[in-house]
């Protein structure tokens, strides 16, 4: 395919690219500032000097990490997808989104204690039945707790769904912020949201600030500090002297609590003014200034990304290559943990379209990897040069796409029968991360990494690849998947070989079959040739199609725990097969003979796996109950508060339930239930129809026409007790 002229999708292409630039700016800022978060300006200057670029290696810390600033930003915005109310969404609904996606003491929030961590305090309020906005109010939590920084750091997405409409952005930001914050914290969030919204259409920083101030009270401290910093900027050319004034008047010493909004908001405004629209200079100032560096750099990075577009990252150091578009969003919906900047951008774009009742846009028919944003690589990497691997380079290029505008160019150098070129993308927790040790490991897992693979056995991998017309000979290519096997070492599953001639386009659909229930951690492409050759191919898309056909059980290479047996000399058994489930229950240990033995001390607990793309399937398991109030199998699971389930209860009922913020019994009937007896439960979902079977006999069916859940993964659920099974089938 030859290069094609630019055309628009159903959404304005300029808007789409500004959203992508905003997402990139957010994650660049967070990754840049996180290694020295909460350092003072004086300590930064003493140990690091001015922050001109990523310094994670200097501090022996990984660059790309899970972080509350990133996960909260993209997770809480899902409220607009989960509820049909659009711009009328309420604080209560956004608070319910917290309860659906946050796994207590595991994901998103800083779990610093009630009365110490604002978000932890608000979460406990929500869990105890206090709805937003009361959950974050000064009346309930006090002024100190209510005015910390969190309202600001999670707010960017609400602005990006309101391009050029700061009033709507500020309104949504206020509702979202009120879940956990109040007072000045809400005004700071509204100010940032208004600035980012207006930045889609306004390039003058002074005008932006004046517009932003319209949406907060002119009696507020945020309003006053913005005015002060504007005045100081006019009269003081040195940002360092202005930073000192901020420290003297608006510094941490003036505002109690662990991390107050006011000082950090001041640094964002200062860096915006003194950065003079230069991304590198702005990042240098906001990070060198100190305090909550990752939060401040994330907000400012998003604002500048929107304002200046993708061109704003050019002309200085290479900000984009080191982060590779990679985004981690660990939540109760573990199939969305492994993500990238393009994927998160299109979620925002389509949310903006949907709430305006406009057609959504799905590049290349919704392919998972489509590379339609300029410069995007969506987490793809080339394997490093070795005895077996040739030099390989990847980059995003215009053209070479059947249904889009762009593709991933893969350049290979001196491949042969013996030496391959290889590119891949991670589909689960990368082995390089799994093998981290020491302070690097501690840093990465500072926020727990709850994740499910994005691809499973029984699904199809579909690719479209074009060979460059200047290639000298045909090349051989295979698709491959790598999974965690024995001792969590990687095993490779290969597709049949395909031959790709110069200027030929190949569509290939491969049925992935993975033995032993091992979780898939990579998908990739391997190139060889019958003689020594260099050249290029273009990956137009790679997609994951269909529902899985997979069984979950303890892999044969994992020994059953035996009491009294010393194992000091044995290799550590594989753990990643268990880590491919999100654990949101009090107990799931590996010491029992039963593979999935889960307990919850009080209330409902569950373990979950699968993705948001699973639609029509059956989930089946033979389950034994010990002192449980109820429990069973879940389907179309979208978090802790959104799923269907087939359950047995100790009150002699079998029931089909729907969890949608609260438990709804769709249908139930009498069932003679006994503890310590095995029952085979099967739940089939197709379209709106749910069919429940026990011991191969249909017991219930229900056609759900009221706000049906149309996709999601699976779960094993227990209420106030224990249940267990050795195998769960999905087909």
């Amino acid at each position: 395919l030859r290069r094609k002229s630019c055309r628009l999708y159903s959404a304005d292409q300029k808007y789409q690219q500004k959203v992508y630039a905003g997402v990139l700016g957010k994650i660049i800022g967070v990754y840049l500032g996180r290694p020295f978060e909460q350092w003072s300006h004086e300590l930064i200057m003493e140990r690091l000097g001015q922050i001109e670029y990523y310094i994670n290696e200097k501090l022996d810390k990984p660059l790309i990490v899970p972080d509350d600033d990133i996960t909260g930003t993209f997770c809480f915005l899902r409220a607009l997808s989960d509820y049909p109310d659009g711009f009328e969404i309420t604080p209560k609904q956004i608070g319910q989104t917290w309860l659906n996606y946050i796994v207590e003491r595991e994901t998103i929030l800083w779990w610093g204690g009630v009365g110490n961590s604002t978000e932890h305090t608000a979460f406990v309020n929500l869990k105890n039945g206090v709805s937003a906005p009361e959950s974050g109010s000064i009346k309930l939590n006090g002024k100190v707790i209510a005015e910390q920084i969190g309202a600001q750091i999670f707010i960017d997405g609400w602005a990006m769904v309101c391009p050029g409409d700061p009033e709507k952005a500020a309104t949504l930001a206020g509702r979202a912020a009120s879940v956990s914050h109040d007072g000045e914290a809400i005004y700071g969030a509204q100010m940032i949201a208004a600035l980012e919204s207006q930045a889609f259409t306004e390039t003058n920083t002074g005008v932006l600030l004046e517009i932003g101030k319209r949406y907060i009270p002119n009696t507020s401290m945020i309003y006053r500090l913005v005015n002060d910093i504007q005045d100081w900027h006019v009269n003081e050319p040195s940002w360092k002297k202005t930073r000192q004034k901020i420290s003297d008047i608006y510094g941490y010493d003036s505002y109690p609590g662990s991390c107050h909004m006011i000082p950090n908001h001041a640094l964002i405004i200062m860096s915006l003014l003194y950065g003079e629209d230069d991304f590198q200079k702005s990042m240098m100032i906001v990070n060198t200034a100190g305090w909550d560096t990752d939060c401040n750099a994330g907000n400012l990075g998003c604002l500048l990304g929107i304002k200046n577009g993708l061109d704003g990252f050019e002309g200085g150091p290479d900000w984009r290559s080191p982060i590779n578009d990679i985004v981690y969003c660990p939540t109760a919906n573990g199939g969305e943990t492994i993500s990238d900047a393009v994927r998160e951008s299109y979620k925002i774009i389509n949310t903006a379209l949907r709430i305006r009742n406009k057609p959504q846009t799905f590049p290349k028919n919704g392919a998972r990897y489509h590379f339609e944003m300029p410069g995007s690589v969506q987490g793809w990497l080339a394997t490093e040069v070795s005895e077996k691997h040739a030099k390989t380079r990847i980059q995003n290029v215009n053209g070479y796409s059947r249904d889009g505008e762009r593709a991933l160019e893969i350049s290979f150098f001196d491949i042969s029968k013996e030496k391959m070129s290889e590119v891949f993308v991670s589909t689960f927790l990368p082995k390089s991360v799994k093998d981290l040790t020491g302070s690097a490991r501690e840093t990465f897992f500072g926020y727990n990494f709850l994740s499910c693979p994005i691809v499973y056995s029984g699904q199809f991998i579909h690719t479209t690849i074009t060979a460059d017309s200047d290639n000298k000979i045909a090349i051989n290519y295979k698709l491959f998947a790598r999974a965690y096997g024995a001792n969590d070492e990687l095993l490779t599953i290969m597709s049949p070989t395909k031959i790709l001639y110069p200027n030929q386009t190949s569509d290939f659909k491969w049925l992935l079959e993975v033995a032993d229930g091992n979780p898939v951690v990579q998908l990739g492409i391997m190139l060889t040739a019958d003689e020594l050759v260099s050249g290029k191919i273009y990956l137009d898309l790679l997609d994951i199609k269909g529902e899985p056909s997979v069984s979950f059980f303890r892999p044969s290479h994992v020994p059953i725990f035996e009491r009294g047996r010393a194992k000091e000399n044995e290799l550590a058994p594989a753990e990643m097969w268990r880590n491919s489930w999100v654990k949101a229950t009090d107990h799931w240990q590996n010491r029992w003979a039963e593979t999935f033995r889960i307990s919850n001390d009080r209330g409902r607990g569950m373990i979950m796996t699968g993705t948001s793309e699973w639609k029509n399937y059956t989930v089946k398991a033979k389950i034994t109950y010990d002192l449980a109030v109820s429990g069973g199998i879940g389907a179309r699971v979208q978090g802790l508060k959104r799923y269907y389930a087939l359950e047995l209860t100790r009150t002699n009922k079998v029931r089909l339930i729907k969890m949608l913020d609260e438990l709804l019994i769709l249908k139930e009937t009498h069932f003679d239930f006994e503890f310590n007896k095995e029952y085979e439960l099967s739940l089939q979902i197709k379209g709106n129809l749910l069919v429940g079977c026990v011991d191969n006999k249909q017991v219930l069916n229900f056609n759900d026409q009221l706000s049906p859940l149309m996709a999601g993964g699976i779960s094993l659920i227990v209420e106030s007790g224990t249940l267990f099974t050795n195998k769960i089938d999905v087909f």
Side-chain angles (χ1 to χ4, degrees):
L1 299 177
R2 295 301 181 187
R3 297 178 185 270
K4 300 192 293 185
S5 60
C6 179
R7 59 182 174 81
L8 295 179
Y9 288 104
S10 57
D12 177 72
Q13 195 172 52
K14 183 177 180 181
Y15 165 63
Q16 293 183 34
Q17 291 187 9
K18 279 182 170 284
V19 169
Y20 177 48
V23 171
L24 283 175
K26 176 76 174 185
I27 64 176
I28 290 169
V30 171
Y31 294 153
L32 174 61
R34 195 175 191 275
F36 47 94
E37 180 184 7
Q38 292 300 342
W39 287 25
S40 68
H41 168 67
E42 292 76 16
L43 182 60
I44 290 169
M45 292 301 296
E46 176 187 337
R47 293 189 54 187
L48 302 173
Q50 289 193 167
I51 306 300
E52 304 288 352
Y53 194 55
Y54 304 117
I55 52 84
N56 56 293
E57 291 183 358
K58 187 173 181 178
L59 296 176
D60 191 28
K61 294 184 177 183
L63 176 63
I64 303 168
V65 295
D67 189 88
D68 59 332
D69 302 11
I70 292 172
T71 309
T73 297
F74 299 122
C75 172
F76 300 151
L77 189 66
R78 295 175 190 171
L80 288 173
S81 299
D82 291 345
Y83 295 97
D85 302 85
F87 291 117
E88 302 306 314
I89 195 163
T90 65
K92 181 177 180 179
Q93 290 170 320
I94 302 170
Q96 289 293 336
T97 303
W98 281 48
L99 292 176
N100 184 53
Y101 291 108
I102 295 174
V103 180
E104 188 170 6
R105 296 185 181 273
E106 296 287 346
T107 59
I108 303 182
L109 308 183
W110 170 49
W111 300 97
V114 172
N116 189 42
S117 164
T118 300
E119 292 78 19
H120 190 166
T121 303
F123 179 85
V124 170
N125 290 339
L126 292 167
K127 186 180 176 184
N128 289 339
V130 179
S131 298
E134 186 182 357
S135 56
S137 66
I138 289 175
K139 179 181 178 182
L140 185 63
N141 301 330
K143 186 175 177 66
V144 171
I145 289 296
E147 293 191 335
Q148 301 300 304
I149 193 174
Q152 181 171 273
I153 64 177
F154 301 143
I155 218 67
D156 311 277
W158 303 93
M160 287 190 278
V161 299
C162 299
D165 194 340
E167 182 176 5
K168 277 192 174 69
T171 299
L172 291 177
R175 294 174 191 163
S178 72
V179 174
S180 49
H181 291 75
D182 201 353
E184 295 292 341
I186 289 183
Y187 306 148
Q190 291 178 308
M191 181 73 184
I192 294 294
L195 291 176
E196 290 177 342
S197 171
Q198 193 64 41
F200 280 96
T201 57
E202 177 58 61
T203 60
N204 185 287
T205 300
V207 173
L208 273 182
L209 288 170
E210 292 306 313
I211 291 173
K213 288 190 293 185
R214 295 176 189 170
Y215 300 99
I216 61 174
N218 60 11
T219 56
S220 67
M221 189 62 66
I222 294 291
Y223 192 98
R224 173 184 150 186
L225 76 81
V226 173
N227 278 344
D228 282 348
I229 296 167
Q230 286 178 299
D231 291 341
W232 296 337
H233 174 249
V234 170
N235 298 305
E236 176 52 68
S238 170
W239 71 264
K240 291 184 179 180
K241 291 182 179 179
T242 294
R243 189 215 63 82
Q244 187 59 55
K245 290 182 180 180
I246 290 171
S247 182
D248 293 341
I249 299 173
Y250 297 109
Y252 274 6
D253 292 343
S254 302
Y255 296 93
S258 58
C259 188
H260 203 276
M261 165 73 80
I262 294 292
N264 291 288
H265 191 90
L267 294 188
I268 293 174
I269 301 302
M270 177 195 75
S271 303
L272 175 64
L273 287 167
Y274 282 91
E276 299 175 322
D277 274 346
D278 182 281
F279 186 81
Q280 183 185 14
K281 184 177 180 181
S282 301
M283 288 295 101
M284 180 275 291
I285 295 172
V286 78
N287 282 287
T288 308
W291 295 337
D292 204 346
T293 47
D294 60 337
C295 303
N296 299 337
N299 285 135
L300 182 58
C302 182
L303 171 57
L304 291 174
I306 294 168
K307 187 172 182 292
N308 300 329
L310 295 173
D311 289 343
F313 302 117
E314 305 299 326
D318 179 8
W319 293 107
R320 296 180 62 179
S321 295
I323 66 168
N324 219 46
D325 281 332
I326 295 172
V327 174
Y328 296 134
C329 291
T331 70
N333 190 350
E336 294 297 316
T337 298
I338 303 294
S339 191
D340 61 76
V342 175
R343 182 172 174 82
E344 295 305 317
S345 296
Y346 275 97
K347 289 180 186 178
I348 292 169
I349 292 162
N350 282 324
T351 297
L353 291 168
R354 184 174 55 254
I355 62 180
R356 291 169 174 79
N357 297 313
K358 292 185 177 181
Q360 297 176 57
T361 179
F362 300 99
K364 301 178 185 178
N365 299 310
R368 173 80 189 212
Y369 302 103
H370 55 75
F371 316 108
E372 277 297 274
M373 288 294 184
S376 65
V377 294
Q378 293 192 253
W380 282 76
L381 294 165
T383 300
E384 294 181 359
V385 175
S386 69
E387 183 179 341
K388 293 183 178 181
H389 294 96
K391 178 182 176 182
T392 306
R393 186 180 66 237
I394 63 173
Q395 65 174 338
N396 185 288
V397 295
N398 188 39
Y400 306 101
S401 174
R402 179 175 295 163
D403 297 313
E405 301 299 332
R406 311 189 72 83
L408 188 69
E409 179 186 88
I410 303 168
S411 300
F412 51 88
F413 301 88
D414 294 334
I415 64 172
S416 63
K417 290 181 179 179
E418 293 76 29
K419 204 157 190 174
M420 70 186 74
S421 172
E422 187 178 277
V423 296
F424 67 92
V425 68
S426 294
T427 56
F428 183 43
L429 178 68
K431 193 171 189 303
S432 60
V433 170
K434 175 196 167 297
D435 292 341
L436 289 173
T437 59
S439 62
R441 183 176 184 83
E442 183 179 348
T443 296
F444 186 90
F445 291 99
Y447 291 95
N448 204 358
F449 192 91
L450 302 184
S451 175
C452 306
I454 65 172
V455 60
Y456 294 78
S457 187
Q459 294 187 289
F460 285 93
I461 312 302
H462 173 224
T463 60
T464 301
I465 299 175
T466 298
D468 194 88
S469 59
D470 293 332
N471 288 357
K472 302 301 182 185
I473 61 172
I475 58 171
N476 308 311
Y477 81 90
K478 296 180 181 180
L479 304 182
F480 69 82
R482 291 200 173 98
Y484 283 115
N487 308 120
D488 283 335
E489 295 301 320
L490 297 184
L491 56 89
T492 302
I493 304 102
M494 305 294 301
S495 79
T497 301
K498 303 288 285 185
I499 300 174
L500 191 61
Y501 293 95
N503 207 34
Q504 180 188 7
T505 297
S506 172
D507 285 301
F508 187 20
K509 185 179 286 188
W510 173 43
L511 177 63
L512 178 61
E513 296 178 291
V514 184
D516 229 358
N518 292 312
V520 178
V521 67
Q522 287 180 10
L523 291 175
I525 301 168
M526 185 180 296
L527 308 175
T528 59
D530 294 336
E531 56 186 91
L532 192 69
V533 68
S534 299
K536 297 176 181 178
I537 65 167
Y538 303 93
L539 177 59
D540 185 4
L541 62 88
L542 185 143
D543 202 9
I544 302 163
K545 295 284 192 181
E547 275 66 55
S549 178
V550 61
S551 295
F552 299 101
F553 52 88
R554 177 184 282 107
S556 60
H557 53 75
V558 177
I560 296 175
F561 175 81
E562 298 178 49
R563 296 181 184 179
R565 180 179 174 186
K567 297 190 175 185
E568 290 85 353
N569 297 325
E570 295 184 13
L571 291 172
E575 297 178 341
M576 300 310 291
W577 67 277
R578 280 168 50 87
N579 292 339
S580 64
W581 291 73
V582 170
K583 174 180 171 289
T585 190
D586 291 327
H587 310 281
W588 178 29
Q589 299 174 339
N590 62 1
R591 60 178 293 150
W592 303 107
E594 299 87 8
T595 306
F596 302 101
R597 184 184 183 95
I598 66 171
S599 305
N600 212 58
D601 300 333
R602 183 171 59 183
R604 298 175 72 83
M606 57 202 298
I607 59 173
M608 301 160 276
T609 196
T611 78
S612 301
E613 284 70 41
W614 295 9
K615 295 180 181 177
N616 300 310
Y617 57 86
T618 297
V619 54
K620 181 173 71 173
K622 294 179 179 179
I623 300 175
T624 302
Y625 297 78
D626 280 343
L627 297 180
V629 172
S630 69
I633 49 177
R636 291 187 180 167
V637 179
Q638 300 173 5
L640 300 174
K641 297 289 186 179
R642 300 176 67 85
Y643 57 84
Y644 293 113
L646 174 66
E647 299 184 337
L648 300 181
T649 78
R650 70 190 305 171
T651 56
N652 295 309
K653 297 287 186 181
V654 58
R655 64 189 187 184
L656 285 171
I657 68 107
K658 177 182 181 179
M659 181 66 78
L660 195 61
D661 294 342
E662 59 185 5
L663 189 146
L664 307 171
I665 299 174
L666 301 177
K667 202 170 187 179
E668 67 178 4
T669 190
H670 178 81
F671 184 86
D672 291 326
F673 173 76
E674 298 178 35
F675 287 129
N676 300 306
K677 179 180 178 180
E678 183 179 82
Y679 300 96
E680 183 178 80
L681 274 62
S682 171
L683 175 57
Q684 180 185 32
I685 301 191
K686 187 174 183 179
N688 295 71
L689 181 64
L690 289 73
V691 178
C693 298
V694 179
D695 295 332
N696 294 312
K697 179 182 177 181
Q698 181 175 321
V699 291
L700 294 169
N701 66 77
F702 187 82
N703 196 318
D704 187 16
Q705 297 293 331
L706 184 63
S707 301
L709 304 170
M710 299 309 295
I714 65 163
S715 66
L716 189 65
I717 305 164
V718 64
E719 180 186 3
S720 301
T722 296
L723 58 74
F724 57 84
T725 184
N726 282 315
K727 184 182 178 186
I728 303 171
D729 297 313
V730 181
F731 54 91

